[in-house]
Every structure is written in C-alpha cells, then in structure tokens.
Amino acid sequence: ARVIVNRLWHYHFGTGLVDTPSDFGLNGGRPSHPELLDWLATELVAMKWDTKKFLRLLVTTQAYRQSAKVTPEALEKDPENRLLSRGPRLRLTAEMVRDQALLASGKLVEKVGGASVQENANRRSVYTFRKRTSPPDNMLIFDAGSREVCQPKRLNTNTPLQALVLLNNPGFVESAQQIALRVSKEAVDATEQITLAFRHICTRAPRATELNALTKLYTQQKAQPPQVAPAAPAEPEPKPDPKAKGKRVAAAAKPASISTDPALAALTLVCSTILASDAAVTSR
C-alpha cells in the first residue's frame, strides 16, 4: 500500500513522499513525511484499494490546492518543495498533452473501452496501440519511454522538438483549427474569442500580459493577405438525368475555408500558439 500511495502522490505532486519510487529498500530514500505515508496507506486499504476514491482524497487536500507561486522565503527554505510549502508544478505527460488538445477542441472521445486510436484518432491516449520496437514518435519526444524496460519514474524534459510537435503535428494543427471554430461560434469579439480559447486549453483566464501578446499576434496575422488555394480544374457538367426532370436540387453551401478567412486563420494561429505555450503543457 505504501508503494502504490507513493507513486500516486508522485504523479500529482511531481515528487513522491519517498523520492525513490523504484526502491523502498535500504538503498532508497527516506520518506519526508513518514506519518503521512502510513496514514495514506491505511486509508487506501480502508477504501478497499479504490484508486479513484483515493485520488479524489489527494486532489481535495490543502497541500494540493494551495498556490504554486514560489516566494523567495519558501525557495530558500524548501527549494525542492519537500516540505509542501507550495502547490505542485509539473509538466504534463505525453498522454495528457494530447488528450488536453482534443478535449479543448471538443473532439475527445471519452467512451471507456472499444477501438484503439488507430481506428479513431480522437480516442484517449490510453487506447494507443504501442509496439516495443516502434512506439509512437510524438510520445517518445514527450518522454513517454519505449517500454523496453520498466520505467517507474518518467523523465521531465523541455526540448525544441516538443515545441515543433505542438506547432506542426497534424493532430495538434487540427485541434487548433477546431478550437478556433469552436470559440468563433461562442463569441463575436476577438478578445473574447482569445480568452475563451485560453480557458479551454489552459483551464484558467489569461493574464493581462498574455492576453495583450495574443491579441497583438491576432491583429498582425489578420492583417496578412489571405493564402488563396489554387483553383481546381473545372469539372465537366453532368449529363441531365431524364428521371429528375422538373425537379430542382439545391446545392449545399460550402463553409468558408480557414485559409481564405483572415479572421479565422489568425484565430487558428493564436490557438496553436496557446497549445504550444508553457501555460498549456505545465500543471500549476
């Protein structure tokens, strides 16, 4: 019970009560709060090993819900936050980053069980089919590991390749487009649209400096001339159908393309920028 409690604590706080989750022996680290570790272990057993119930207990504690803001005094006395002087601040895992983009776009399939991501690209990352010799490239870039060996504790990196994935991967580009379409229907004013997009992605309101920078980016991008795609060759007119004589078939109106709508194109770029920002990939 202590081992499982420590790992669950590590997932939510960035560091376990024992900072060596793979070693609880004599060579491992000593618990920073041994009484707390014992109490949580007994609570998990009393809950009959109900993980969801236990996680609800963790995220409703004062230790988890306190601010992650670092003060000079706390940084001097508790640089690694081993004394829980502030809330957790940790980078999202590969699965969380992908699922968050899909959730913000409104396309995430939250059904439990069923087909894999290969059959439905909008399924949660837990349904990704993985091979040891060829795991998903995007997940490797975000430190998911190849699963060739046991990895009780993932690495935590911030590399330029991760920014390239967030800005250029087709899945994230499509999510940015869907978010732009979503907020364009929820609000008319550009500032409100950017604020809503930031809320959907980062689950908080943007700060004044963030909103000003994004609004400036939107204004600059909107002023750019639209990129009109080359016209497709004209198709030959279909032969008249004698059975359809006297009937009028209404042609379906095609929606405006993002590449030809300056406002929507600019909003898409803003949403892509938010998805690649530190506020989106870091939990505070």
Side-chain angles (χ1 to χ4, degrees):
R2 289 185 179 89
V3 173
I4 296 179
V5 162
N6 189 67
R7 291 195 179 185
L8 295 176
W9 185 279
H10 166 76
Y11 293 152
H12 289 75
F13 286 86
T15 304
L17 295 171
V18 177
D19 58 3
T20 54
S22 59
D23 191 350
F24 264 62
L26 295 176
N27 294 327
R30 297 185 63 83
S32 58
H33 301 73
E35 295 84 0
L36 176 59
L37 180 63
D38 291 344
W39 180 77
L40 290 175
T42 57
E43 285 295 304
L44 179 62
V45 175
M47 294 175 184
K48 298 182 179 180
W49 304 83
D50 188 335
T51 305
K52 288 186 178 180
K53 189 174 181 180
F54 181 79
L55 292 179
R56 188 178 296 110
L57 172 66
L58 284 187
V59 299
T60 54
T61 58
Q62 183 179 357
Y64 184 82
R65 299 175 67 181
Q66 63 182 331
S67 173
K69 186 177 180 180
V70 183
T71 62
E73 296 79 10
L75 186 62
E76 181 180 358
K77 297 180 179 179
D78 188 17
E80 298 180 359
N81 200 25
R82 298 290 291 156
L83 301 178
L84 306 177
S85 59
R86 54 189 178 274
R89 178 185 299 186
L90 57 149
R91 197 166 177 83
L92 300 183
T93 63
E95 295 84 355
M96 293 178 183
V97 171
R98 177 183 173 275
D99 290 356
Q100 175 183 250
L102 287 173
L103 180 64
S105 67
K107 296 296 183 180
L108 180 66
V109 177
E110 300 190 46
K111 175 186 174 182
V112 177
S116 68
V117 171
Q118 278 67 23
E119 298 179 32
N120 188 341
N122 295 329
R123 297 228 62 192
R124 293 167 55 199
S125 297
V126 69
Y127 297 106
T128 303
F129 183 76
R130 296 176 60 104
K131 297 180 181 179
R132 287 185 182 178
T133 55
S134 57
D137 295 336
N138 294 338
M139 289 193 175
L140 279 180
I141 293 174
F142 282 93
D143 311 314
S146 62
R147 294 195 178 183
E148 295 180 35
V149 295
C150 179
Q151 190 181 23
K153 183 179 181 180
R154 286 189 179 181
L155 299 175
N156 190 9
T157 64
N158 183 1
T159 66
L161 282 178
Q162 295 175 359
L164 288 174
V165 169
L166 294 172
L167 289 170
N168 300 297
N169 180 266
F172 288 99
V173 171
E174 183 178 353
S175 294
Q177 294 173 347
Q178 293 296 330
I179 297 170
L181 290 171
R182 178 182 179 181
V183 299
S184 65
K185 297 176 182 178
E186 297 174 345
V188 178
D189 182 68
T191 302
E192 294 181 6
Q193 293 174 347
I194 295 173
T195 302
L196 284 173
F198 199 97
R199 281 185 176 276
H200 287 317
I201 298 172
C202 304
T203 66
R204 66 170 175 85
R207 301 185 180 94
T209 54
E210 295 169 333
L211 184 59
N212 291 338
L214 293 172
T215 304
K216 183 179 180 181
L217 175 63
Y218 174 85
T219 304
Q220 293 175 347
Q221 183 64 21
K222 187 179 178 181
Q224 299 292 330
Q227 299 177 357
V228 181
E235 298 182 358
E237 295 183 0
K239 295 181 179 180
D241 186 1
K243 296 182 180 180
K245 188 176 181 179
K247 297 181 180 179
R248 294 183 179 180
V249 181
K254 294 183 179 180
S257 174
I258 292 179
S259 61
T260 59
D261 188 342
L264 202 53
L267 190 58
T268 300
L269 180 62
V270 170
C271 293
S272 179
T273 303
I274 299 174
L275 283 173
S277 67
D278 178 72
V281 298
T282 304
S283 174
R284 292 179 174 86

